[in-house]
Amino acid sequence: QILGRPCANKPAAPRNCVDDLRGRVYTVSAAELTGNEDDYYRKIKMRCEGVSGKTCLTTFHGMDLTTDKLKGLVRKFSTLVEGNVDVRTVDGYHLRLFAIGFTRKRPNQ
């Protein structure tokens, strides 16, 4: 899917502009990727792994929530519980997982 056009200057040194594009992280709303407007609050990060002609080949780099959605989840008389863990998979990938949860409001509050 076409996300946009990245900008890269042609260097004067004997470098290739492909090297400037490789490794960049692009942030895109999930609503733009799926076409579903209900996913507007999810931000998907894509990392450029290579260039084929005028096309950047990207892989998934991470997901985040917009600040207005995250602040809207926090309610009065509830507790925010956050946790994170670093995981190394068998095939050598390093994952950092974040979880967020909220407690319910007590009946007498």
Side-chain angles (χ1 to χ4, degrees):
Q1 185 171 1
I2 298 174
L3 300 177
R5 292 180 177 246
C7 298
N9 294 333
K10 289 186 179 180
R15 279 188 353 205
N16 196 351
C17 64
V18 173
D19 297 332
D20 293 337
L21 291 174
R22 192 175 295 129
R24 284 190 187 182
V25 177
Y26 302 100
T27 303
V28 176
S29 172
E32 294 178 25
L33 292 176
T34 62
N36 185 5
E37 292 298 322
D38 295 335
D39 291 334
Y40 73 94
Y41 56 89
R42 290 190 179 113
K43 296 187 298 185
I44 307 296
K45 295 178 184 176
M46 307 292 281
R47 182 168 189 235
C48 180
E49 295 293 330
V51 177
S52 174
K54 290 188 174 185
T55 305
C56 286
L57 306 173
T58 59
T59 58
F60 178 77
H61 188 68
M63 188 194 81
D64 199 8
L65 298 177
T66 58
T67 55
D68 61 329
K69 178 66 174 181
L70 195 57
K71 290 178 181 178
L73 291 174
V74 178
R75 303 272 185 231
K76 193 173 181 181
F77 301 115
S78 67
T79 305
L80 174 71
V81 180
E82 292 180 306
N84 60 0
V85 66
D86 292 335
V87 179
R88 172 97 39 199
T89 61
V90 177
D91 53 351
Y93 283 99
H94 178 77
L95 300 174
R96 181 170 290 152
L97 303 174
F98 293 90
I100 186 169
F102 303 95
T103 60
R104 291 187 182 174
K105 183 178 175 181
R106 290 187 176 176
N108 296 331
Q109 284 184 334

